[in-house]
Amino acid sequence: MTKQVQLVVNGEAYHLDLEPNRLLLHVLRDDIGLTGTKEGCSIGVCGACSVIVDGRLVSSCLTLAVGCQNKNIETIEGLAKDGKLHPLQQAFIEFGGFQCGICTPGQIMAAKALLDENPKPSEEEVKEWMSGNLCRCTGYYKILESVMAVVNEKISPDFQFRARRQEAKIQSLDVYKSVAKTE
Ligand code: FES
Ligand code: FES
């Protein structure tokens, strides 16, 4: 039997008919279409699925969506405002806090939850807090550097995000063709 639920995600209300056993992670991704939140371990260990619910960092892979009735849910998609990246998003780009990017939305949401509570944590406090967010690529130093750049106000005031140029994509396809010998 389904239950009618209202979820407030990034300030927008969604009215959904949900089975009581649906996980918040899957409802965000499959029903609402916000695929920024990632699924890693599915058992509450890796932090890839981290979102903020009523100000508290949670693993959405362990959270029942029906339990979030009328709660405020923040996901990575809600951080940029008026075309401007959140300082943490900017810092992860400027300071190279990601590689493959699978863990990145969870890392950024975890860091946001910390900085919302304590805008000036020490490096040790950041390390301790972020220890629940695993990364297989970066070696963690660049993630720490990115978060500390926000804490210490080191991000550039005039930063402008530039999407990858079209020619770059074409060039990499050409490289692929020659390596894979598809032509
Ligand atoms: S997918 Fe939720 S903690 Fe890993
Ligand atoms: S950037 Fe690849 S897992 Fe963290």
Side-chain angles (χ1 to χ4, degrees):
M1 190 164 60
T2 59
K3 190 174 172 203
Q4 288 212 329
V5 183
Q6 171 175 279
L7 301 182
V8 183
V9 185
N10 302 324
E12 202 166 317
Y14 294 87
H15 300 273
L16 302 155
D17 257 335
L18 298 175
E19 300 284 345
N21 63 351
R22 296 286 310 287
L23 295 169
L24 179 59
L25 169 65
H26 298 146
V27 171
L28 287 172
R29 289 181 57 86
D30 303 334
D31 297 53
I32 299 180
L34 296 177
T35 54
T37 304
K38 299 293 186 270
E39 182 159 21
C41 66
S42 318
I43 53 168
V45 171
C46 73
C49 66
S50 303
V51 297
I52 300 174
V53 179
D54 276 355
R56 230 169 52 93
L57 187 69
V58 304
S59 294
S60 60
C61 72
L62 295 184
T63 305
L64 292 174
V66 292
C68 298
Q69 166 81 339
N70 285 329
K71 293 189 178 171
N72 283 310
I73 301 162
E74 295 171 62
T75 71
I76 191 75
E77 288 90 346
L79 296 201
K81 298 270 184 274
D82 304 323
K84 197 169 163 23
L85 294 177
H86 184 280
L88 281 164
Q89 292 174 307
Q90 179 182 325
F92 270 66
I93 295 171
E94 267 196 90
F95 291 83
F98 66 98
Q99 287 182 23
C100 80
I102 288 289
C103 72
T104 311
Q107 302 279 3
I108 291 178
M109 295 314 290
K112 181 179 187 290
L114 173 63
L115 301 193
D116 284 351
E117 196 69 34
N118 173 12
K120 291 285 172 199
S122 66
E123 201 169 292
E124 279 315 304
E125 286 172 318
V126 174
K127 276 191 204 166
E128 170 71 22
W129 178 263
M130 303 287 293
S131 63
N133 288 79
L134 306 183
C135 176
R136 302 303 301 267
C137 304
T138 61
Y140 299 102
Y141 183 76
K142 290 289 185 184
I143 293 173
L144 180 62
E145 199 182 358
S146 304
V147 178
M148 291 313 294
V150 176
V151 173
N152 296 321
E153 298 173 35
K154 294 269 176 60
I155 60 171
S156 347
D158 51 2
F159 176 82
Q160 293 215 329
F161 175 63
R162 282 196 299 274
R164 187 183 292 184
R165 287 177 306 135
Q166 194 64 21
E167 308 90 82
K169 280 188 203 150
I170 290 165
Q171 193 183 28
S172 66
L173 277 178
D174 288 343
V175 169
Y176 173 77
K177 273 184 203 159
S178 60
V179 171
K181 296 202 187 314
T182 52
E183 290 190 341

